[in-house]
Amino acid sequence: MRITLTLVDSGIGMLSTAAALRAARPDADLILSMDPDHMPWGPRRPDDVIGRALAGARATADARPDAIVVPCNTASVHGLDALRAEFEPDVPVIGTVPPIKPATEHGGPIAVWSTVATTRSHYQADLVARFAAGHTVTPVACVGLAEAVESADPAAVADAVGYAAERTPADVAAVVLGCTHYDLVEDEISAALGHRAELFSAADAVAAQTLRRLGVAPTPDAARTGTVSVLASGRPSTLPDAALSYPAGAALALPPVRTGV
């Protein structure tokens, strides 16, 4: 079964989820609907985020995607209800939730690295209360890290990672990556923490949930026949240069790649 998957995010934070989907289904066509004209979404009002997420999904409608994936915590918090109201049940919509529960199952104190806005949100506090009751949880506001990753600036990434690492208790055994941008610099984060903590990302879980919702199995050994298409605020485009500096982006840039949808 040939499947087409739309991914909606403001920028390259979607890359880790796209790479996980590509690894699980090399034959799937991926449409990466980014929004460079309005990024970042994090500081925007909820209504604005909803509007941008809907615009990103609608821009791919002509391609008749089999599922819409939202690999962005901000867009998932604010936009999932609106996206599902518009596209389901015909097209399943899969959101992203920080992997707090599996991190607690790892054992020991945990830290949740997320943006400043998410760290302060009722959404994150509710997730911690639901899935980490009885555990020691330290929220860590990663000032400027998502922006540094988006710009692919190694010095800015190092500064932002170092800032967050200094605020992560030494006894933390697991770190939840609560922003999909952080997945792209896992090696830098692990090194800054002295390799003492297990890192937990949502990308593989989101990819698995997408296939479950579609009722299809992963076929990692299939031929890589799936295409990658990119939209930039609705316009046919290519992967941004910053994306190519990360392994996930470089892997997605391998042929076959096409412009637009």
Side-chain angles (χ1 to χ4, degrees):
M1 175 184 175
R2 187 67 175 261
I3 57 176
T4 298
L5 305 173
T6 285
L7 288 85
V8 178
D9 195 355
S10 62
I12 64 174
M14 66 168 62
L15 292 179
S16 58
T17 302
L21 287 165
R22 167 60 71 238
R25 289 296 301 235
D27 57 340
D29 295 326
L30 305 181
I31 306 172
L32 312 184
S33 187
M34 302 182 183
D35 192 23
D37 292 358
H38 305 92
M39 71 165 59
W41 287 352
R44 291 184 171 273
R45 296 179 306 168
D47 285 351
D48 291 338
V49 175
I50 292 168
R52 297 318 312 160
L54 285 169
R58 289 167 179 162
T60 73
D62 288 347
R64 300 179 64 84
D66 296 288
I68 296 169
V69 183
V70 187
C72 171
N73 291 285
T74 298
S76 295
V77 171
H78 299 304
L80 278 187
D81 287 347
L83 286 164
R84 286 172 172 159
E86 178 159 333
F87 292 99
E88 291 189 346
D90 295 335
V91 182
V93 178
I94 297 89
T96 299
V97 177
I100 293 173
K101 184 177 181 181
T104 61
E105 293 169 351
H106 179 70
I110 72 170
V112 181
W113 283 30
S114 52
T115 64
V116 174
T118 300
T119 299
R120 295 172 177 168
S121 69
H122 293 298
Y123 167 74
Q124 180 166 299
D126 179 62
L127 288 176
V128 170
R130 288 167 57 197
F131 297 122
H135 294 265
T136 301
V137 180
T138 301
V140 178
C142 301
V143 177
L145 182 52
E147 293 81 0
V149 173
E150 185 72 34
S151 65
D153 182 336
V157 167
D159 287 346
V161 167
Y163 175 90
E166 289 173 359
R167 287 154 179 80
T168 302
D171 63 346
V172 159
V175 172
V176 174
L177 302 181
C179 171
T180 52
H181 278 82
Y182 304 168
D183 298 0
L184 302 178
V185 291
E186 283 185 333
D187 290 346
E188 291 86 341
I189 293 171
S190 185
L193 293 170
H195 305 286
R196 69 178 188 268
E198 188 81 16
L199 304 185
F200 286 82
S201 161
D204 288 339
V206 172
Q209 175 66 0
T210 300
L211 300 187
R212 280 194 294 269
R213 289 289 306 275
L214 291 175
V216 300
T219 55
D221 297 326
R224 191 186 185 285
T225 56
T227 61
V228 175
S229 306
V230 181
L231 294 176
S233 299
R235 304 180 300 274
S237 187
T238 57
L239 280 169
D241 290 343
L244 304 179
S245 66
Y246 299 107
L252 290 168
L254 295 173
V257 179
R258 59 195 178 108
T259 301
V261 297

